[in-house]
Amino acid sequence: MSASERPSGQQQTGRPTAGATADSAFLRACRREPVPHTPVWFMRQAGRSLPEYRKLREGTAMLESCMRPDLVTEITLQPVRRHRVDAAIYFSDIVVPLKAIGVDLDIKPGVGPVVERPIRTRADLERLRPLDPDDVKYVTEAVGALVGELGATPLIGFAGAPFTLASYLVEGGPSRNHEHTKALMYGDPALWAALLDRLADITSAFLKVQIEAGASAVQLFDSWVGALAPADYRRSVLPASRKVFDAVAGYGVPRIHFGVGTGELLGLLGEAGADVVGVDWRVPMDEAARRVGPGKALQGNLDPAVLFAPRAAVEAKADEVLEAARGLEGHIFNLGHGVLPSTDPDALTRLVEYVHTRSASRAPSVKV
């Protein structure tokens, strides 16, 4: 990153000064403090929508790119340079910690993570050993490099939640109906609880590595948990998710929880221990706030498909999100899911600028 590309407040080398990210709009919003403008970042902002990403990744498998600190650093920085988002998200994949402990899996283009030997018995469970920081030295190296480059721009750590990891492990890959997952959850609740508990430990260790290397916040992705009814979530998933959030609570960094299709679970996602609850596009922000209850910031929630509409329509829908979020204790503007691969990058850049400008005109005077 050149001096002209470096975010405001960034040092030339090394780690940022103490508190360099603390007064960022993103972290202030996470803490439900006044902000000069609504902060913006996008899930999957570092990825296939960027031509520079596709060029850099050409010929390199996904998992390999996640294990190369040079690529992770550059890919994570690309959307910060291009879009001027208020936070970077660590470039990784939810199955990286599973690969690191020896699970035989691969990410197949057009399919997703595929596990060679699914985990469905007690004997299978023993293949999941604890994650040691030495298993992911490349993460420590990449986060350290990123913190030095980003300066006053916060870095969000990344991990998959126990339920979604379990779903991939039990199904052997992506699933529409999660039939094997639910069969195990209902049919052998003791084994299911042991599986999620072990995954909670692995996920916690992975997040700790990122925080200790300098991440300013963490987000737990539970991509598939929207497949569950609230009662099943409370009984069979919430304890493991809570264990993850409790494990990193002592670091004092904001903890974000996001799942897809989780409108009926929003209150439970917050109850699991998140400081910020992510909301997909199916529930308006004001209604989401009612379901989550007080004491939590919210993140979201423009439909990613809106970005394919004309500029005026995108801005109108962004206004709807901002209006629904007016008066919330804390709001971070994001999409209701990840950036779609064929999204025009310029549409994202314009959206960041629009949200910053529009929200700044409404914000009270804030010294940061």
Side-chain angles (χ1 to χ4, degrees):
M1 182 181 283
S2 69
S4 63
E5 294 169 324
R6 189 170 289 113
S8 175
Q10 183 168 311
Q11 299 177 71
Q12 188 69 21
T13 59
R15 301 172 76 84
T17 57
T21 63
D23 278 334
S24 64
F26 169 75
L27 289 180
R28 291 180 69 92
C30 288
R31 298 191 302 260
R32 295 174 286 122
E33 298 172 355
V35 292
H37 60 263
T38 299
V40 187
W41 73 277
F42 303 115
M43 290 178 283
R44 293 184 188 156
Q45 65 188 18
R48 290 172 292 175
S49 66
L50 300 181
E52 56 266 41
Y53 167 85
R54 295 193 295 270
K55 181 178 180 180
L56 187 65
R57 274 276 326 276
E58 191 173 1
T60 305
M62 178 62 182
L63 280 174
E64 181 186 347
S65 68
C66 293
M67 298 175 186
R68 285 182 49 183
D70 60 332
L71 289 185
V72 170
T73 301
E74 173 60 20
I75 291 169
T76 302
L77 290 171
Q78 285 176 347
V80 179
R81 296 193 193 106
R82 180 186 273 266
H83 304 314
R84 298 295 178 178
V85 285
D86 293 279
I89 176 73
Y90 182 77
F91 176 76
S92 186
D93 188 273
I94 63 172
V95 299
V96 164
L98 300 180
K99 184 72 172 180
I101 63 170
V103 176
D104 188 1
L105 58 82
D106 196 10
I107 299 176
K108 297 189 176 181
V111 178
V114 176
V115 179
E116 184 66 24
R117 297 165 58 203
I119 291 180
R120 296 175 184 171
T121 69
R122 294 188 179 276
D124 293 334
L125 183 61
E126 296 311 309
R127 306 204 311 263
L128 297 180
R129 66 168 176 84
L131 177 76
D132 187 275
D134 285 343
D135 295 322
V136 288
K137 289 181 178 178
Y138 48 86
V139 174
T140 299
E141 182 179 343
V143 172
L146 281 164
V147 170
E149 284 287 328
L150 287 165
T153 301
L155 175 67
I156 305 169
F158 166 96
F163 175 83
T164 292
L165 293 179
S167 178
Y168 281 118
L169 288 171
V170 174
E171 299 291 340
S175 172
R176 182 181 296 273
N177 299 310
H178 309 281
E179 55 265 41
H180 295 295
T181 304
K182 292 184 177 182
L184 178 60
M185 184 177 71
Y186 298 135
D188 194 340
L191 176 57
W192 172 259
L195 171 60
L196 259 67
D197 189 69
R198 191 162 300 195
L199 290 171
D201 288 338
I202 292 167
T203 297
S204 300
F206 192 56
L207 289 177
K208 287 178 180 180
V209 167
Q210 295 172 68
I211 296 169
E212 290 176 4
S216 296
V218 290
Q219 176 157 312
L220 193 66
F221 285 80
D222 215 345
S223 307
W224 302 123
V225 78
L228 296 182
D232 290 330
Y233 178 90
R234 178 179 291 281
R235 177 177 55 250
S236 302
V237 176
L238 190 149
S241 295
R242 177 179 285 148
K243 186 177 185 180
V244 175
F245 286 122
D246 286 349
V248 299
Y251 291 100
V253 302
R255 300 159 298 170
I256 310 169
H257 202 4
F258 174 75
V260 183
T262 53
E264 299 301 319
L265 305 178
L266 287 172
L268 292 167
L269 295 183
E271 190 177 324
D275 304 296
V276 183
V277 176
V279 184
D280 75 12
W281 68 92
R282 297 171 178 86
V283 180
M285 297 301 289
D286 49 358
E287 171 60 17
R290 188 190 68 78
R291 296 183 187 188
V292 171
K296 308 287 182 182
L298 297 185
Q299 178 176 279
N301 68 338
L302 187 72
D303 186 339
V306 167
L307 288 160
F308 292 83
R311 181 172 181 172
V314 174
E315 293 177 353
K317 295 299 287 185
D319 279 339
E320 289 181 15
V321 173
L322 291 171
E323 182 60 31
R326 186 193 288 267
L328 297 187
E329 294 182 72
H331 178 225
I332 300 152
F333 191 99
N334 207 314
L335 303 181
H337 197 193
V339 174
L340 297 172
S342 55
T343 302
D344 178 4
D346 290 341
L348 291 167
T349 304
R350 290 192 298 266
L351 179 58
V352 173
E353 182 179 7
Y354 183 78
V355 172
H356 283 171
T357 301
R358 189 74 165 170
S359 59
S361 68
R362 302 176 176 183
S365 178
V366 178
K367 291 185 68 176
V368 296

